[in-house]
Amino acid sequence: HLKKLEKEYHGNDKIVFMSVSCDNVKSYDKWKNMVTEQELGGVQLFGGATVGQQLMTPYKIGGIPRFMLIDKHGNIVSDNAPRPSSADIRPLIDFTINK
């Protein structure tokens, strides 16, 4: 569903899809291969051990995947956005990129 959502908004310079891996550093090669094999779009980041302290703890992320929507000014629109498969995500994205 995420790939489909990214494809729908492809070419729109008002949105960037970014994924952050919280995998252990030992899993880096496995993660990198998966990104290539699955042809994942958007910005793919590998956070390793720093993700817990810098992202997961401050935003109280207890499970993955977690979807967040941040506007072009860096303001958090939703720290627990609907999943890409939800009918609620497109109106939220459209509102955010058009405000």
Side-chain angles (χ1 to χ4, degrees):
H1 293 283
L2 180 57
K3 287 167 78 171
K4 180 180 177 184
L5 190 63
E6 286 180 46
K7 188 173 184 174
E8 287 178 33
Y9 288 95
H10 184 75
N12 187 326
D13 63 353
K14 294 183 179 182
I15 188 167
V16 173
F17 288 89
M18 180 177 72
S19 298
V20 181
S21 169
C22 59
D23 291 325
N24 187 298
V25 174
K26 294 186 289 186
S27 301
Y28 176 78
D29 289 332
K30 184 177 178 182
W31 167 82
K32 190 173 179 180
N33 290 334
M34 184 271 306
V35 168
T36 302
E37 290 170 7
Q38 295 290 320
E39 299 177 343
L40 299 181
V43 176
Q44 299 293 324
L45 302 174
F46 187 88
T50 63
V51 171
Q53 292 178 330
Q54 296 179 354
L55 184 65
M56 295 182 77
T57 300
Y59 292 100
K60 297 180 177 83
I61 298 172
I64 53 173
R66 175 74 166 267
F67 299 95
M68 300 173 73
L69 186 59
I70 302 169
D71 71 13
K72 64 184 175 185
H73 303 290
N75 300 311
I76 298 172
V77 175
S78 175
D79 66 350
N80 196 12
R83 291 178 165 274
S85 58
S86 170
D88 296 331
I89 191 60
R90 284 166 186 78
L92 185 59
I93 290 173
D94 292 340
F95 171 78
T96 301
I97 64 176
N98 291 314
K99 69 176 183 170

